[in-house]
Amino acid sequence: MNFRGLGSYPHYDIVKTEILNKELDTLMEIKPKYLFFIVIILAFTAACSRSVDIPTEIPPTETAVVPPTSEVPLPPTEIPATPSEIPPTQDPNCTNEALFIADVSIPDDTVLSAGEAFVKTWQIRNEGTCTWNASYKLVFSSGEQMNSALSIPLSETPPEETLNISVDLVAPINNGSYTGIYQLQNAQEEVFNIGALDNIWLRIVVGDGAAPPPATVGGPTAPAGVCNPDRNAAYESEILSLINNARANNGLPALNMNTQLQAAADAHSKDMACNSLLSHTGSDGSSVSSRVAAQGYASSYSVENIYAGGTAQDAFTWWMNDQIHKDAILDTRISEIGIGYAYLGTSTYGGYFAVDFASP
């Protein structure tokens, strides 16, 4: 064998050649039958020791690229709204009725300054079987509006419960006596009664009450000489009996009928019926004291109760449920009385009561 490649070292080549030649000679001396087995063993050994070239590099796995999902707006989730408090359904056969209990503020004939702001509050009771709610209203009906709202919703009031209803007002700028009339309406805007009447009212006096304007609160003034309302002597006698019984129950003396006071009360009840007004101020601007004096009665003290639209018992019940009218009936300063009642079917309220109390 001829080895080349280490040409710079000739001695090394000669020695190496001699060694190789000796190894070949040794092999040639082995018997052929053994040589065959040696070749087989060497081949087998080479085969077992040969490493299998297994590629160690694992091809990268192709990760599927998912295209970005386009942003599709989801429909908004419907969150159920919290149901508002709905008033219970009314029984279609329920009834609407109210009863006046008291003037909580500004009793009749309260004296106010011109242009003074004030709040009138009534207390009434639900006497029907319907429950009042915000669909029920107190509405201005007639008389002097005095800057009040045209309607005021009621708060929820079950049957047999009481309710305070307030109205913001401003007193007129001129002196005089002023009356405002209000009514209650249900959800269908139907007026319902407050006791025997279909209204409640407020009455104030501005300044000294002199020279008030006519305070008509209903139909037109009847022509002079035409209006002739009916009287009811039985109602007048019943009123006297009810008032004196109330005084007796409170340890007070009975009141005596006085013809001059009777004439003053009778004239005012006719005036209210003929002019459809409900006021202590007459259509001519008169006051209770001036009407009493006009009949020749010299009073040291006088006061008046009025009512419209019901019976004698209705009138008395209403007065006794209103503090200022009750106080007039039970006043210790009075000793005499005059009672007038007039009925005119074409007037706003039909029947009108006037009761004048006084002492000489």
Side-chain angles (χ1 to χ4, degrees):
M1 294 183 66
N2 185 13
F3 288 90
R4 298 182 184 277
L6 297 172
S8 57
Y9 301 95
H11 176 73
Y12 176 80
D13 287 341
I14 295 170
V15 175
K16 187 172 184 181
T17 300
E18 288 178 355
I19 293 171
L20 290 173
N21 287 335
K22 287 181 180 182
E23 289 177 352
L24 288 174
D25 290 342
T26 301
L27 289 173
M28 290 304 292
E29 290 176 359
I30 301 173
K31 292 181 180 182
K33 64 179 181 180
Y34 297 114
L35 181 62
F36 173 78
F37 289 107
I38 292 171
V39 172
I40 292 300
I41 291 171
L42 291 173
F44 178 75
T45 303
C48 291
S49 63
R50 185 182 300 157
S51 61
V52 180
D53 294 333
I54 301 173
T56 58
E57 185 177 348
I58 301 173
T61 304
E62 292 186 4
T63 304
V65 179
V66 181
T69 306
S70 59
E71 294 185 3
V72 179
L74 297 175
T77 304
E78 290 188 5
I79 301 174
T82 303
S84 56
E85 187 173 330
I86 301 173
T89 303
Q90 297 275 26
D91 179 348
N93 297 318
C94 69
T95 59
N96 286 301
E97 188 176 352
L99 179 67
F100 172 82
I101 301 299
D103 287 310
V104 177
S105 67
I106 314 296
D108 284 353
D109 301 320
T110 296
V111 178
L112 300 172
S113 300
E116 180 180 347
F118 65 100
V119 178
K120 170 66 181 185
T121 302
W122 300 271
Q123 185 176 87
I124 60 175
R125 184 167 64 233
N126 184 347
E127 292 286 287
T129 58
C130 297
T131 295
W132 301 342
N133 51 50
S135 64
Y136 283 62
K137 296 174 290 185
L138 176 75
V139 298
F140 174 75
S141 173
S142 58
E144 297 290 339
Q145 187 176 349
M146 293 179 267
N147 287 39
S148 76
L150 290 175
S151 67
I152 298 95
L154 305 189
S155 299
E156 182 169 328
T157 309
E160 300 184 3
E161 295 293 325
T162 59
L163 172 67
N164 286 356
I165 308 176
S166 297
V167 181
D168 295 324
L169 304 107
V170 178
I173 60 173
N174 295 318
N175 288 351
S177 179
Y178 298 89
T179 301
I181 309 293
Y182 293 81
Q183 295 178 313
L184 292 176
Q185 290 184 352
N186 63 13
Q188 291 72 43
E189 298 186 350
E190 298 168 337
V191 174
F192 57 94
N193 275 10
I194 307 170
L197 298 178
D198 65 356
N199 64 78
I200 53 177
W201 65 84
L202 65 97
R203 187 174 63 250
I204 63 167
V205 175
V206 176
D208 59 9
T216 58
V217 296
T221 302
V226 173
C227 183
N228 187 24
D230 297 324
R231 292 188 61 186
N232 188 325
Y235 273 0
E236 295 170 0
S237 296
E238 185 177 357
I239 288 289
L240 178 62
S241 176
L242 289 168
I243 287 175
N244 279 335
N245 284 340
R247 289 178 64 85
N249 290 336
N250 285 272
L252 298 172
L255 301 177
N256 298 316
M257 285 289 291
N258 179 277
T259 55
Q260 294 166 311
L261 295 179
Q262 180 76 21
D266 185 58
H268 189 52
S269 65
K270 287 181 179 179
D271 184 32
M272 290 191 293
C274 291
N275 294 286
S276 286
L277 67 89
L278 185 60
S279 174
H280 291 282
T281 302
S283 61
D284 58 354
S286 62
S287 65
V288 56
S289 58
S290 66
R291 288 190 294 271
V292 167
Q295 297 298 327
Y297 188 97
S299 66
S300 59
Y301 175 77
S302 61
V303 66
E304 182 178 66
N305 280 359
I306 59 174
Y307 183 84
T311 65
Q313 182 63 61
D314 291 332
F316 176 76
T317 300
W318 196 92
W319 291 331
M320 292 301 286
N321 281 308
D322 179 72
Q323 192 61 51
I324 193 168
H325 293 89
K326 181 179 180 179
D327 289 347
I329 290 171
L330 302 179
D331 199 320
T332 58
R333 293 169 292 179
I334 58 176
S335 58
E336 296 180 311
I337 188 174
I339 303 167
Y341 175 82
Y343 179 84
L344 186 64
T346 58
S347 65
T348 300
Y349 302 112
Y352 297 78
F353 290 89
V355 178
D356 290 344
F357 306 93
S359 288

